[in-house]
């Protein structure tokens, strides 16, 4: 039995599960300092909303209903996609060589078309594509310059980004790119961390019951991503679960909101997890 435990422990360490659990618990401990019942808000304050999405479809799953409410309220909403989405197809596992590369390029084009269509459904501005390699997102000089240009030109009042404990490297790196980019410059906006793969600790909720149909339609635009995983069902379940705080029958999206300056301090404390 001791040998079995040792083997399991070695496997967990190789998968970085132990570190991820420590980080999750540290995030919970830090969040407790802000703990109050999640506040119900109509939408983010300010006129200009920027969304950082690791992949095409994350913008819909994480905050699509809220984005639609912002558009209906007359706000400017811009989405920046961090990666090119080239690995979002299970068929790639059975290909190699030129066929592998051809399918990747086809997938990049397809996912960009889908993102454009989803944006039209939500009513947001034409998206920006940073085109970092899918599954390999890093906080490089190149992508920080791209993001800095968007921040300087758009001057957002609120930025949506994945939460720190998201169970996907590209999602966590998206937020790291943001944190690294704002180290230089006078950026004053609120951060709204959203959830896709991993539930977060929310301090605010948005009732999206009246925009849920639009959120569903926008997700259907990402047709290439719905073939292998039933994201529609998962998204519906998460938004219904989040609505339990405010309604028996509605839908809600949950966020962890902090001013940018406090978000950086939160991240620094979280980095010492363990």
């Amino acid at each position: 039995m001791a040998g079995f435990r040792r083997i399991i422990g070695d496997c967990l360490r190789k998968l970085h599960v132990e570190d991820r659990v420590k980080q999750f618990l540290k995030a919970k401990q830090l969040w407790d300092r802000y703990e109050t019942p999640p506040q119900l808000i109509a939408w983010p304050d300010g006129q200009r909303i920027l969304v950082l999405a690791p992949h095409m479809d994350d913008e819909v799953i994480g905050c699509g209903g809220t984005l639609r409410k912002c558009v209906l309220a007359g706000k400017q909403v811009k989405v920046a996609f961090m990666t090119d989405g080239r690995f979002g197809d299970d068929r790639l596992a059975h290909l190699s060589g030129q066929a592998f590369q051809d399918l990747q390029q086809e997938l990049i084009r397809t996912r960009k078309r889908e993102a454009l269509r989803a944006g039209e459904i939500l009513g947001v501005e034409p998206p920006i594509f940073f085109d970092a390699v899918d599954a390999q997102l890093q906080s490089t000089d190149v992508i920080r310059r791209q993001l800095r240009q968007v921040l300087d030109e758009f001057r957002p009042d609120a930025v949506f980004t994945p939460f720190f404990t998201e169970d996907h490297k590209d999602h966590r790196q998206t937020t790291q790119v943001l944190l690294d980019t704002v180290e230089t410059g006078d950026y004053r906006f609120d951060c709204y961390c959203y959830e896709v793969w991993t539930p977060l600790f929310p301090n605010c909720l948005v009732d999206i019951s009246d925009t849920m149909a639009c959120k569903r339609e926008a997700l259907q635009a990402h047709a290439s991503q719905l073939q292998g995983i039933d994201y529609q069902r998962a998204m519906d379940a998460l938004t219904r679960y989040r609505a339990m705080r405010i309604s028996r029958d509605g839908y809600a999206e949950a966020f962890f909101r902090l001013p940018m300056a406090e978000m950086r301090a939160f991240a620094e404390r979280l980095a010492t997890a363990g």
Side-chain angles (χ1 to χ4, degrees):
M1 181 61 72
F4 178 75
R5 290 197 188 101
R6 185 175 63 255
I7 292 172
I8 293 298
D10 290 343
C11 290
L12 290 176
R13 280 187 289 275
K14 288 178 181 178
L15 292 171
H16 303 290
V17 171
E18 186 175 281
D19 291 341
R20 298 285 292 114
V21 170
K22 287 180 179 178
Q23 187 182 48
F24 185 87
L25 293 174
K26 183 67 173 182
K28 177 62 169 66
Q29 178 186 1
L30 292 173
W31 177 83
D32 285 344
R33 301 181 186 183
Y34 304 94
E35 185 173 11
T36 57
Q39 178 186 6
L40 181 63
I41 63 173
W43 42 64
D45 293 333
Q47 184 65 20
R48 296 178 299 280
I49 313 299
L50 175 64
V51 183
L52 303 183
H55 313 98
M56 299 78 158
D57 70 6
D58 292 324
E59 82 288 6
V60 177
I61 297 171
C63 50
T66 299
L67 301 185
R68 181 58 181 168
K69 289 177 74 78
C70 289
V71 170
L72 294 174
K75 300 176 185 289
Q76 291 179 265
V77 181
K78 187 181 292 290
V79 180
F81 293 101
M82 310 296 283
T83 71
D84 57 17
R86 68 176 63 196
F87 283 107
D89 194 315
D90 292 340
R91 292 176 294 170
L92 290 167
H94 308 289
L95 299 175
S96 61
Q98 191 61 48
F100 180 88
Q101 295 178 23
D102 289 347
L103 180 55
Q104 281 194 325
Q105 294 306 308
E106 176 188 341
L107 187 58
I108 291 172
R109 292 190 294 270
T110 296
R111 297 193 70 177
K112 286 186 176 181
R113 287 196 301 270
E114 292 173 345
L116 286 167
R117 178 56 186 151
E120 291 172 354
I121 292 169
L122 292 176
V124 304
E125 296 184 1
I128 301 167
F129 299 101
F130 289 162
D131 286 328
V133 177
D134 188 10
Q136 299 179 27
L137 182 61
Q138 295 287 340
S139 180
T140 63
D141 289 341
V142 172
I143 200 164
R144 289 196 297 271
R145 282 198 300 269
Q146 291 174 302
L147 178 55
R148 187 174 296 112
Q149 181 177 352
V150 174
L151 293 174
D152 291 344
E153 293 178 356
F154 189 56
R155 304 304 299 180
D157 300 303
V159 175
F160 285 77
T161 188
F163 193 56
F164 299 98
T165 56
E166 275 282 298
D167 192 19
H168 194 300
K169 177 178 174 292
D170 284 349
H171 290 220
R172 299 191 300 275
Q173 280 297 309
T174 294
T175 302
Q176 189 62 53
V177 170
L178 174 63
L179 292 171
D180 292 344
T181 300
V182 301
E183 281 187 357
T184 58
D186 183 22
Y187 298 106
R188 301 179 184 180
F189 50 77
D190 287 336
C191 284
Y192 289 77
C193 291
Y194 60 85
E195 55 191 356
V196 177
W197 286 107
T198 309
L200 52 70
F201 315 115
N203 59 12
C204 64
L205 300 169
V206 176
D207 185 342
I208 63 164
S209 302
D210 56 347
T211 56
M212 188 63 190
C214 184
K215 180 180 172 86
R216 288 180 177 133
E217 184 182 354
L219 184 62
Q220 288 300 314
H222 292 285
S224 68
Q225 301 308 292
L226 302 179
Q227 300 175 19
I229 299 178
D230 191 351
Y231 288 113
Q232 185 76 69
R233 184 178 182 184
M235 185 180 75
D236 283 9
L238 181 58
T239 51
R240 281 291 297 118
Y241 165 69
R242 288 308 189 186
M244 290 172 59
R245 293 266 191 167
I246 57 176
S247 169
R248 291 184 177 181
D249 303 314
Y251 298 89
E253 289 171 343
F255 304 101
F256 182 73
R257 175 186 60 185
L258 278 180
M260 186 67 248
E262 292 186 39
M263 186 65 73
R264 289 177 61 188
F266 184 99
E268 289 171 3
R269 292 195 296 269
L270 182 60
T272 63

